[in-house]
Amino acid sequence: MTSEADKKIRSLEKKLREIKKLQERLDSGEQLEKLQLDKIAKQKDVEEQLIFLQKEESEPPGPTPVKSSGAKEMPAGRASIPNPTSKASARSAASEAAGSGAGGSGARGGYMDTHLEDAICLGNQRKDEVEQTRRYKYLRSPMAQQWKEEFVGVFEVHPPDTTPETKDHSKWMTFTEPFEFYLWESQNIPVDHLKKTIHKATSVKKSDFSLQTMTSERQKLPWDADAVVEFRKLVQKGLSSSEVEKKPVVRIQAVPNGS
């Protein structure tokens, strides 16, 4: 761990200890000042920053990514983050993000999929930690502010309801928790790209499942439809369930064919 990163982590840990003490005082009935209440309100942001920094420091270094024109330089082992003003640079960065699942041709293709396979196959990670880390990295960090204005919303993709008799049951068992798929204004990717992301994480064939709304009357998302267009159609139908960064969240599910 670098001394600078260590200093930031220790500072965030100290803030959390202070917030915990303030919360205990508040819970005991003590009247706190506005500044103290403001500190308590920032607990979630502080936790997200801490998780993000700890995860960054725990990742082993990898080969230095190829630098492309217009791309921001990142530490070794990280995918380059494209300049949001340059679609060409974004497409170049997307092709560099080996193993990230990036396949969209829009300006957001290079970074929106990074760590998505980790988000699907959580391993020993807690779902809330993965969500907090990704939300901070792509939506709240200082770096994210340059592209945040193009954030459209979230497909919350749920795993299928399976039994031991379900085809590829053992493969589906690597996908047991919902994951968040971020959508961006200039993404220009089909629904099939979401299926490809799940396929890469689980090895289940794309042709063996569909993505459907989680409503009483199931609606199958056309595989060749524009993901953002389909998302907005569902929002207009009132199918959004919550919000992330004041943008709608639509719940969909991977459904094995024949279920």
Side-chain angles (χ1 to χ4, degrees):
M1 182 183 295
T2 64
S3 58
E4 183 179 352
D6 183 57
K7 185 184 296 185
K8 289 180 180 179
I9 287 174
R10 290 180 184 279
S11 174
L12 291 170
E13 289 175 337
K14 180 180 178 182
K15 285 183 180 180
L16 283 178
R17 289 194 296 270
E18 293 173 349
I19 289 172
K20 183 179 179 181
K21 290 178 181 178
L22 288 173
Q23 184 65 57
E24 289 173 350
R25 289 167 59 185
L26 182 65
D27 292 343
S28 69
E30 183 178 341
Q31 291 289 105
L32 300 182
E33 298 177 357
K34 184 179 182 303
L35 288 177
Q36 293 172 318
L37 294 173
D38 289 343
K39 277 188 178 182
I40 293 176
K42 294 178 180 177
Q43 179 176 348
K44 186 175 181 180
D45 286 339
V46 175
E47 289 174 340
E48 289 175 349
Q49 292 178 50
L50 179 59
I51 291 172
F52 174 72
L53 283 173
Q54 289 173 334
K55 184 176 178 65
E56 288 283 285
E57 288 302 309
S58 66
E59 289 180 354
T64 303
V66 179
K67 186 178 178 183
S68 63
S69 175
K72 299 278 185 181
E73 260 193 311
M74 295 289 287
R78 310 285 192 272
S80 296
I81 303 297
N83 182 335
T85 62
S86 170
K87 291 188 178 182
S89 296
R91 284 192 290 271
S92 175
S95 65
E96 291 170 15
S100 70
S105 58
R108 297 295 164 259
Y111 52 75
M112 53 74 62
D113 272 347
T114 306
H115 302 313
L116 256 184
E117 288 180 43
D118 292 341
I120 297 172
C121 302
L122 300 180
N124 295 323
Q125 303 175 82
R126 286 169 42 196
K127 174 179 174 291
D128 59 338
E129 287 185 358
V130 173
E131 286 186 355
Q132 288 179 14
T133 299
R134 294 184 70 246
R135 287 183 186 182
Y136 178 75
K137 183 171 185 177
Y138 299 113
L139 302 174
R140 298 172 184 165
S141 68
M143 183 171 59
Q145 301 313 305
Q146 59 187 318
W147 61 70
K148 183 180 176 182
E149 64 182 25
E150 289 203 25
F151 179 51
V152 173
V154 176
F155 267 132
E156 183 180 275
V157 188
H158 288 248
D161 300 320
T162 63
T163 67
E165 288 71 39
T166 303
K167 182 180 179 181
D168 292 324
H169 174 71
S170 60
K171 293 180 180 178
W172 282 120
M173 292 308 293
T174 60
F175 177 18
T176 58
E177 295 284 349
F179 71 94
E180 294 180 341
F181 191 98
Y182 301 147
L183 295 161
W184 310 91
E185 188 66 49
S186 58
Q187 206 162 12
N188 301 323
I189 62 168
V191 170
D192 189 60
H193 184 61
L194 281 78
K195 297 183 65 178
K196 184 185 297 183
T197 299
I198 295 172
H199 155 70
K200 290 187 69 174
T202 64
S203 298
V204 175
K205 292 180 180 179
K206 293 190 299 174
S207 58
D208 287 344
F209 71 96
S210 62
L211 294 173
Q212 302 180 15
T213 58
M214 299 181 69
T215 52
S216 55
E217 294 184 6
R218 291 276 182 159
Q219 177 180 332
K220 186 184 294 186
L221 278 63
W223 68 272
D224 57 347
D226 184 285
V228 172
V229 172
E230 284 300 303
F231 176 82
R232 285 182 166 143
K233 286 180 181 178
L234 296 175
V235 171
Q236 289 174 357
K237 290 181 179 179
L239 298 185
S240 57
S241 58
S242 56
E243 290 187 343
V244 170
E245 297 297 302
K246 299 182 180 180
K247 297 295 184 180
V249 175
V250 173
R251 298 166 69 233
I252 59 176
Q253 185 178 30
V255 180
N257 294 340
S259 298

